[in-house]
């Protein structure tokens, strides 16, 4: 029933953390999607997230089908809107933008998407999505028309994350926005991870081994990276990033 969620919990328990690769089919061509999916398999990625803001150029279902054809990794939809619900994936992060006060992203998108998720028959991972201030106006902030949580206010982040837990969500996502100049502060990750019992996911502007290691050490269960792979070609460093997100394995080698 919750097989993807439970397998990610197990990985986190056994290896200290998980690394998720985010693919945006609007921002890379089909060949790169395939290349990255294959590299993910080889380099120790735990799951592939697929999501996009607009669906300007991509055929979302076809992209997921392509990814599934070259990898056995779990593929999770990370939807920019309810129109991205499709049956080819293994699970969906059923997100609610809890840091905002825009009813469209608190309930409207979910009501439109719920019947589609049921029809698709995919696993649902209810996720509290929290936008964190990152120094500049990010796409997600602009599109969602919501205020991010101030980066110097971990107490506000903690209260939102706990509300998500009490509402029955299975995960919280601390998001600085794709390509963020300032990433989610390590101290905010530490505060939230020690305050709630559900896994904490972190993403937005993370680039380096140190970025990943510091957030896993602070208690993040899942690290998300996408933008860096859109820019670069050759993915030799991916293995280092996944290793940094699996600290238990690093110690035992
Ligand atoms: C964006 O948190 C994710 O939704 C990943 O961010 O693309 O900056 O890695 P990047």
């Amino acid at each position: 029933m919750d097989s993807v969620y439970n397998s990610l919990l197990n990985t986190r328990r056994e290896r200290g953390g998980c690394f998720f690769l985010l693919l945006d089919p609007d921002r890379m061509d089909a060949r790169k999607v395939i290349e990255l999916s294959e590299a993910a398999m080889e380099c120790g990625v735990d799951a592939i997230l697929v999501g996009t803001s607009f669906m300007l150029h991509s055929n979302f279902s076809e992209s997921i089908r392509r990814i599934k054809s070259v990898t056995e990794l779990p593929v999770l939809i990370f939807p920019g809107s309810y129109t991205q619900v499709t049956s080819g994936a293994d699970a969906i992060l059923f997100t609610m933008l809890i840091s905002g006060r825009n009813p469209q992203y608190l309930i409207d998108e979910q009501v439109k998407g719920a019947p589609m998720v049921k029809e698709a028959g995919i696993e649902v991972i209810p996720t509290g999505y929290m936008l964190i201030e990152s120094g500049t106006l990010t796409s997600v902030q602009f599109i969602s028309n919501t205020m991010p949580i101030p980066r110097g206010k971990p107490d506000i982040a903690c209260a939102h994350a706990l509300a998500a837990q009490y509402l029955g969500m299975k995960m919280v996502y601390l998001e600085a926005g794709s390509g963020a100049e300032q990433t989610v502060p390590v101290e905010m990750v530490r505060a939230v991870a020690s305050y709630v019992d559900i896994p904490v996911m972190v993403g937005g502007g993370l680039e380096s081994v140190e970025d990943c290691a510091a957030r896993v050490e602070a208690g993040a269960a899942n690290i998300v990276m996408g933008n860096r792979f859109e820019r670069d070609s050759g993915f030799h460093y991916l293995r280092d990033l996944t290793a940094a997100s699996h600290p238990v394995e690093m110690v035992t080698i």
Side-chain angles (χ1 to χ4, degrees), residues 52-123:
T52 184
S53 303
F54 297 114
M55 287 214 287
L56 289 178
H57 318 292
S58 56
N59 179 331
F60 197 75
S61 300
E62 177 59 18
S63 299
I64 290 194
R65 196 196 59 72
R66 282 203 196 101
I67 295 165
K68 289 293 294 177
S69 73
V70 296
T71 174
E72 286 158 21
L73 294 174
V75 174
L76 283 67
I77 299 171
F78 171 43
S81 87
Y82 74 92
T83 59
Q84 290 166 26
V85 177
T86 176
S87 59
D90 298 295
I92 182 166
L93 299 183
F94 201 74
T95 50
M96 180 185 267
L97 180 46
I98 57 170
S99 57
R101 301 295 181 267
N102 180 345
Q104 180 185 349
Y105 294 101
L106 286 168
I107 187 62
D108 192 45
E109 292 280 334
Q110 293 80 355
V111 169
K112 288 171 180 159
M116 296 168 70
V117 172
K118 187 175 171 72
E119 180 71 23
I122 54 179
E123 182 178 329

Side-chain angles (χ1 to χ4, degrees), residues 162-220:
L162 191 60
Q165 179 184 320
Y166 289 164
L167 283 165
M169 293 182 197
K170 291 181 161 177
M171 200 142 75
V172 283
Y173 190 168
L174 303 181
E175 163 78 282
S178 189
E181 279 177 17
Q182 292 179 294
T183 54
V184 177
V186 172
E187 288 320 312
M188 182 180 278
V189 175
R190 194 182 306 285
V192 172
S194 63
Y195 198 64
V196 298
D197 301 323
I198 52 179
V200 176
M201 200 162 151
V202 182
L206 302 178
E207 295 257 329
S208 65
V209 161
E210 292 74 23
D211 286 341
C212 298
R215 282 155 186 83
V216 170
E217 185 280 324

Side-chain angles (χ1 to χ4, degrees), residues 30-42:
R31 196 174 49 85
K32 186 152 186 179
V33 167
I34 298 278
E35 252 176 51
L36 261 169
S37 303
E38 288 172 343
M41 268 287 271
E42 285 162 24

Side-chain angles (χ1 to χ4, degrees), residues 22 27 49 78 129 140 173-180 202-207 224-230:
L22 173 62
R27 288 163 58 164
L49 303 187
F78 171 43
Y129 185 67
V140 61
Y173 190 168
L174 303 181
E175 163 78 282
S178 189
V202 182
L206 302 178
E207 295 257 329
V224 183
M225 277 180 65
N227 191 59
R228 174 164 183 186
F229 307 105
E230 291 165 18

